[in-house]
Every structure is written in structure tokens, then in C-alpha cells.
Amino acid sequence: MQGRNEERWDVLVDKVERRIIRRRRSIERTAWVNQQKVLEAFRHFRVSDVHLRGSTGYGYNDRGREILENVYARVFRTEAALVRPQIVSGTHALALALFGVLRPGDRLVYATGEPYDTLRTVIGEGESREGTLREWGITYKQVELGPDGGPDWDALDRVLGSVAVRMVVLQRSGGYSGRRALSVDELEQVIRRIKRRQPDAVVLVDNCYGEFTETREPTEAGADLAAGSLIKNPGGGLAPTGGYVVGRSNLVHAAACRLTAPGIGGEAGPTGPEWRLFYQGFFLAPHTVSQALQSAVFGAALFEALGLSSRPGWAEDRSDLVQQVDLPSGEAVLTFCRAIQQASPVDSHVVPEPWAMPGYPDPVVMAAGTFVQGGSLELSADAPMRPPFRVFVQGGLTYEHGKLAYLCAARALEEAGHLPRG
Ligand SMILES: *Cc1c(COP(=O)(O)O)cnc(C)c1O
């Protein structure tokens, strides 16, 4: 009996993997292009052993820091980069870019619908007012996306045609909204439209989860600034913390002045013991992102074969790491997340429970057995405990681990009777 069940799963996995071969190849081709880009930048700036060492105190003349920032700028095709362990998260990096550019009385527009939760708080759309853009007198307008999940051109034109806008933000990833990611081609079209209407507006792309999922970055498609987290894609799973801002040098400088102080800007900022993990992580990032994407494609195809719906579909193009899986009930969500946790290298024995996370209306359950706390290029899953019962899975440092974890989740769902019959 047991043997026959094993065999059935083996046959299924085999079928799924044969189906996704070409999709995986195409993801590997993206990694191939990006790996060359990254290596070229390392070679161009002659990265060497001395750069991997860290600095203390003020961190003046830290060559490792300067060269790493040059490497980022070259890969993102920008004039400048700010890449720092002192940037605590993606939210912080984006907030630096926003507060760096915006001044009281300025107008900010989000052109991709509802911002990621933490950014809503930064803007002043959340519960707290303290220190938000709103408190600083910055007005805010949001343009919803169209019914196909792409830009709503008419609505965008109306907003850009009325008053002067200082800054427009485009969020590449769908985040946890349920919407799809926007491709770099789509972002390029939006940026052209914005620049035609308001040439002086600064365009910032929230690039979280997007880096290296395509062969071009938004900064190669007209964005003035892009920002993200080092414990997501560009850290390659190795960077222990940090964030980055890349773009036009005066704008990156403005963000640096927010990070430290006016007059100091990017000139100070130590690393502590070493830069190695930041360099090595960035070097590995194109490959690791490819592994995470291939894991997601496997998961999507597996769940499709089991009769569950997941988005994006396994055959669809991707511009972020997020994989949604729709489940029949809250019980199924718990079963899924617990199985992902069990299949994690760290804290596999811990049983995730739903908890009331600050800022969220419903309890949230999270599976995250990661080496870096909250590191979401490592395989993790989370879901709000409310209908439609939808789990968001992201990451996977290796395809093998991603495959294993998705398989554990599928088998746990079957054992608990949560899979559709057939
Ligand atoms: C993760 C994420 C952020 C915020 O990053 P943190 O590091 O969690 O602060 C912002 N925007 C998007 C789209 C994200 O996925």
C-alpha cells in the first residue's frame, strides 16, 4: 500500500518535471545573461581580496563599500548606488528614496494601485501618522490598475494631467495583494507615458522581489531610482541584512543624506567585520533567483496537476518571486504552512500558529525556517487566515529544496483530505 503510494507520487513528479523542462530552460537563460552582467561588473572594478574586508567607526574611505556600490550601479546601469547594511529593510530603502526626494507641498503618485502594506504606513495611509510623508505635508494620490492587472492609461493620464507631480512610484511585484507582477516592458511603457506628461517627475520603482527575474532592470527602462532589500533577491541568500537604492547620482545622494545626515551622505558607514557576504551574495544572486523561480514553477505545475489553482500559472512569464496557491479552507492553509516549515533547514520542529500581526486585520500564519531572519529569497510561506484562503510562497535557495518543500506540502494536504478528488 505504502509502496504503491510512493510510486504514484514518483510518477506525478516525473510528469510535472517533464512538463516544465522548457520553462526551466528559459529561466536558466535569464540567469545566464544576468550572471554575465554581474561577473563583468566584478571584473571591471577589479574586485579583490582587500575589498571583502570590513571597516569600523565612521567607515571613511572604505574601499570595499565604494567598490560594491560601483558594482551595483554598473549592473543596474545607473550613475550611482547606495548599498548598506545600515538600511534595515526594503521599506527603509524605499523610505530613504521617498524622503530624500519629496519636500513639503510636493505631490506623490502611486501608479500601480495599492502600495505594499509597509509603504502605506510610510505614506501615512496606515493607522500611524507619526513621521509619515503625510505629516511632512506631502499629498498623495493612488492610481488603480486596470482590470487586466496592467496600467489604467486613462486614469493615469487624468492624474498626470491635473497638477504637477514630484514623484511617481511603480511597484513591480504584486506583493501580497493578489495582483500579478508588472514586467519591465510594461514598466517601461508606463515610465514613457509619465515622462511625456511630466518630464520633471522622478520615477521610483519598488523593485522588491523583482531583481534578476528578467534580463533587464527597471533602471534600464527609464526609472530614475529603484530600491529594494538585500535579504531578498540581490543578497543571493547570503547577505545578512541591508538594502539598496540605485539611480541618478543627485537622487541617490539625497537618499544617502536621509540615511546619515546632510553633509555626510554616503561618505560614512562602516560594515563591521567584512563585506564578503554582500559581494558573494550579489555574485550568486542571478543563480539563486533562478532556483527560486524554478521552484515556484514546479510548485505551480504540481498544484495544477492536483486540481488546485495557483498564480502565476507554471507557463507564465514572471517578474517577481511570489507564487500564490489557492486552498479550500483555513485548515488547509495551516496544513500547507506547517508542511513548508517541517521541510525547512532551520526550526523544522516548530509548528506555525496564526497570530495577530500589527497592521493586519486578520490573523496571519507564516512558515519561515530561514538562516537569515525574514530572509524571503529563502523558501517561506505566509497567508492571512481569511477567505479566499490563499497562501503566498516565495524563494527557495536551491531548486531541490523548493521541490522537496512543495512536495511535502502537497502530500500533507492529501493526507489531511484537503485535495480535490480525482
Ligand atoms: C518585501 C517588500 C517590501 C518591503 O520590504 P521589507 O524588507 O519587508 O521591508 C516592499 N515592497 C514589496 C513589493 C515587497 O515585496
Side-chain angles (χ1 to χ4, degrees):
M1 202 46 209
Q2 194 58 30
R4 203 182 302 156
N5 201 28
E6 287 302 317
E7 213 173 280
R8 200 172 53 81
W9 278 103
D10 284 349
V11 170
L12 178 65
V13 167
D14 207 46
K15 196 175 89 181
V16 165
E17 286 200 300
R18 261 182 287 125
R19 185 171 295 161
I20 62 175
I21 284 175
R22 287 184 40 203
R23 189 73 201 95
R24 288 182 61 196
R25 285 273 153 72
S26 121
I27 292 168
E28 282 166 356
R29 278 195 294 276
T30 301
W32 169 243
V33 172
N34 288 328
Q35 187 68 76
Q36 293 178 64
K37 239 191 202 177
V38 170
L39 179 60
E40 191 279 333
F42 273 65
R43 295 180 56 188
H44 180 84
F45 290 108
R46 303 181 170 206
V47 172
S48 84
D49 190 50
V50 293
H51 301 134
L52 309 184
R53 290 182 211 149
S55 60
T56 58
Y58 294 123
Y60 289 142
N61 306 313
D62 180 332
R63 280 300 282 163
R65 186 189 69 219
E66 289 165 15
I67 296 288
L68 182 66
E69 290 182 338
N70 288 342
V71 166
Y72 263 70
R74 192 165 176 91
V75 168
F76 284 92
R77 310 278 193 255
T78 56
E79 292 171 1
L82 183 71
V83 184
R84 301 295 168 109
Q86 287 82 12
I87 301 178
V88 300
S89 65
T91 306
H92 189 194
L94 288 154
L96 292 174
L98 291 164
F99 280 98
V101 172
L102 293 163
R103 296 292 177 272
D106 280 349
R107 190 169 185 75
L108 166 70
V109 167
Y110 246 79
T112 48
E114 175 122 320
Y116 191 82
D117 267 300
T118 56
L119 271 299
R120 285 190 68 228
T121 308
V122 170
I123 293 164
E125 295 287 290
E127 276 163 30
S128 151
R129 287 280 175 275
E130 188 143 51
T132 62
L133 288 171
R134 171 176 295 196
E135 199 192 40
W136 282 102
I138 287 130
T139 62
Y140 173 67
K141 179 86 186 163
Q142 187 170 310
V143 183
E144 301 305 328
L145 290 166
D148 67 341
D152 181 339
W153 299 112
D154 291 340
L156 187 62
D157 283 345
R158 269 198 303 280
V159 168
L160 294 174
S162 52
V163 289
V165 172
R166 177 66 185 131
M167 202 168 189
V168 182
V169 184
L170 307 176
Q171 184 183 307
R172 180 175 180 180
S173 168
Y176 304 113
S177 66
R179 77 154 166 93
R180 66 179 176 82
L182 294 168
S183 68
V184 173
D185 283 347
E186 283 176 300
L187 293 174
E188 185 165 45
Q189 286 176 25
V190 181
I191 294 166
R192 282 215 190 106
R193 191 86 155 217
I194 295 164
K195 296 287 182 182
R196 210 176 309 138
R197 298 238 156 209
Q198 299 223 12
D200 295 334
V202 171
V203 177
L204 162 67
V205 172
D206 174 349
N207 209 21
C208 285
Y209 282 140
E211 301 89 351
F212 298 132
T213 58
E214 296 190 53
T215 53
R216 278 198 314 159
E217 293 299 328
T219 40
E220 297 171 74
D224 301 296
L225 280 171
S229 162
L230 299 194
I231 65 168
K232 293 180 178 173
N233 308 17
L238 289 186
T241 187
Y244 77 89
V245 178
V246 290
R248 279 166 37 203
S249 48
N250 58 328
L251 303 173
V252 171
H253 178 67
C257 289
R258 286 297 305 203
L259 175 66
T260 59
I264 300 175
E267 300 294 314
T271 346
E274 61 169 14
W275 280 109
R276 179 179 63 85
L277 295 173
F278 297 89
Y279 277 99
Q280 200 173 350
F282 196 55
F283 177 71
L284 290 177
H287 177 73
T288 314
V289 167
S290 148
Q291 298 290 294
L293 287 173
Q294 292 182 56
S295 302
V297 167
F298 174 84
L302 178 69
F303 285 106
E304 183 192 274
L306 294 170
L308 292 174
S309 100
S310 63
R311 263 166 309 147
W314 63 268
E316 282 178 64
D317 286 335
R318 287 162 191 260
S319 196
D320 74 359
L321 295 188
V322 184
Q323 181 66 45
Q324 306 167 35
V325 181
D326 289 337
L327 294 169
S329 63
E331 277 300 304
V333 166
L334 277 183
T335 303
F336 186 103
C337 290
R338 286 174 179 167
I340 296 282
Q341 184 77 37
Q342 268 178 29
S344 299
V346 178
D347 285 337
S348 60
H349 54 285
V350 169
V351 180
E353 292 289 344
W355 60 297
M357 229 173 103
Y360 290 83
D362 301 281
V364 176
V365 60
M366 291 186 168
T370 57
F371 293 98
V372 171
Q373 185 193 99
S376 44
L377 180 56
E378 300 182 49
L379 193 82
S380 49
D382 33 63
M385 294 298 288
R386 62 155 186 269
F389 296 103
R390 183 174 289 156
V391 185
F392 297 89
V393 192
Q394 58 275 313
L397 292 178
T398 69
Y399 171 73
E400 292 75 16
H401 177 230
K403 172 179 161 183
L404 230 149
Y406 275 109
L407 201 54
C408 279
R411 296 190 62 157
L413 288 173
E414 183 188 60
E415 249 161 61
H418 295 309
L419 288 183
R421 280 164 206 269

